[in-house]
Amino acid sequence: MKTRLVFLGPPGAGKGTQALLIAGKYSFSRIATGDILREAITRETALGRRAKDFMDNGALVPDDIVNEILREKIESTGNGYIIDGYPRTIPQADFLSGVASVDMAVYFDAPEDILVQRIVNRRVCPKCNAVYNTSENPPKTSGKCDRDGSDLVHRSDDVEEITRERIKTFWQKTAPLVDYYFRRGLLAKVSAGRTLEEVTAEIEQAINSS
Ligand code: AMP
């Protein structure tokens, strides 16, 4: 069974949703660099101040900043983990291979036209990072997290203009990692345009395949 995973894919492909589900089911840790950065911005730490402008504009935060975040997190993590939203550049992938093992990189392949739609309808829980979608995966009570009842928020970068920029950034900087992991025999591609349950089943099949 593969227990050390990275999730790759454009914004809106469903990485965060599936990372929470799969991590919960298999008791893996989940490391999401985007969540860590957002928390730093909320707490107005030095890290948050360095990251904010990049994130507000749909650009990537510089490699040295996210690499340090990753190194710290991975050191305190046990055997199974899902790294969600990292690596996002070839230098980050090279850094990761020096500090941790990867058994499989899951590439969320989704048709471009659904990404923007999914993102603008996305709502997240600021407390537990659960992800909802007002049309595909709504919370049981409108505007409230199913898990802890917190008020859901619409991320400030989940607006159409910035989302289009983030998708562009994905194709320029992150898409080369699909080939990077394919060449290393570590790539699993899932059809991320399907239903939440179908995508979960596809990932589980890949985790359990030899
Ligand atoms: P996410 O929550 O994964 O959608 O990430 C939100 C934003 O955080 C991205 O648009 C980037 O600005 C920043 N970010 C998250 N992870 C990384 C990373 N691995 N490298 C660079 N920037 C990142």
Side-chain angles (χ1 to χ4, degrees):
M1 185 179 155
K2 301 179 178 87
T3 60
R4 297 168 296 193
L5 317 176
V6 306
F7 280 9
L8 291 176
K15 302 182 299 297
T17 305
Q18 296 292 341
L20 274 168
L21 276 168
I22 301 275
K25 195 157 176 181
Y26 292 85
S27 299
F28 295 160
S29 305
R30 173 175 162 268
I31 302 173
T33 43
D35 289 348
I36 295 165
L37 291 166
R38 273 186 292 281
E39 201 184 312
I41 291 176
T42 305
R43 293 187 7 238
E44 299 183 355
T45 63
L47 168 66
R49 280 191 289 276
R50 282 186 75 191
K52 189 173 185 317
D53 278 353
F54 297 104
M55 293 176 72
D56 283 349
N57 291 309
L60 293 183
V61 174
D63 290 338
D64 60 328
I65 300 180
V66 281
N67 286 346
E68 266 326 297
I69 294 175
L70 191 278
R71 185 213 296 276
E72 247 178 57
K73 279 279 163 193
I74 207 97
E75 272 171 5
S76 57
T77 300
N79 280 333
Y81 46 78
I82 298 176
I83 314 178
D84 165 13
Y86 178 101
R88 264 174 152 107
T89 62
I90 300 268
Q92 289 181 22
D94 286 339
F95 180 85
L96 177 62
S97 70
V99 296
S101 300
V102 173
D103 299 332
M104 181 167 78
V106 181
Y107 171 48
F108 287 66
D109 185 25
E112 189 102 21
D113 52 337
I114 70 161
L115 299 176
V116 175
Q117 204 46 43
R118 272 194 184 166
I119 289 273
V120 297
N121 290 334
R122 177 159 75 177
R123 300 293 180 274
V124 295
C125 174
K127 193 165 165 205
C128 73
N129 298 308
V131 185
Y132 300 89
N133 185 289
T134 51
S135 62
E136 286 177 39
N137 174 30
K140 292 195 180 86
T141 307
S142 173
K144 301 276 181 201
C145 180
D146 291 349
R147 294 153 65 118
D148 55 37
S150 300
D151 287 334
L152 300 179
V153 298
H154 190 203
R155 272 170 51 177
S156 59
D157 58 346
D158 279 355
V159 293
E160 181 161 346
E161 195 190 336
I162 298 173
T163 299
R164 292 199 186 280
E165 200 51 45
R166 289 159 62 204
I167 293 171
K168 213 166 23 166
T169 304
F170 171 80
W171 288 114
Q172 284 171 352
K173 305 270 175 61
T174 309
L177 292 179
V178 175
D179 189 50
Y180 178 101
Y181 284 113
F182 175 74
R183 283 168 192 269
R184 286 159 179 75
L186 297 173
L187 191 77
K189 187 164 152 179
V190 300
S191 309
R194 302 164 75 187
T195 66
L196 197 148
E197 293 79 11
E198 286 170 331
V199 177
T200 307
E202 240 190 288
I203 298 169
E204 288 194 82
Q205 209 169 31
I207 288 177
N208 291 304
S209 71
S210 45

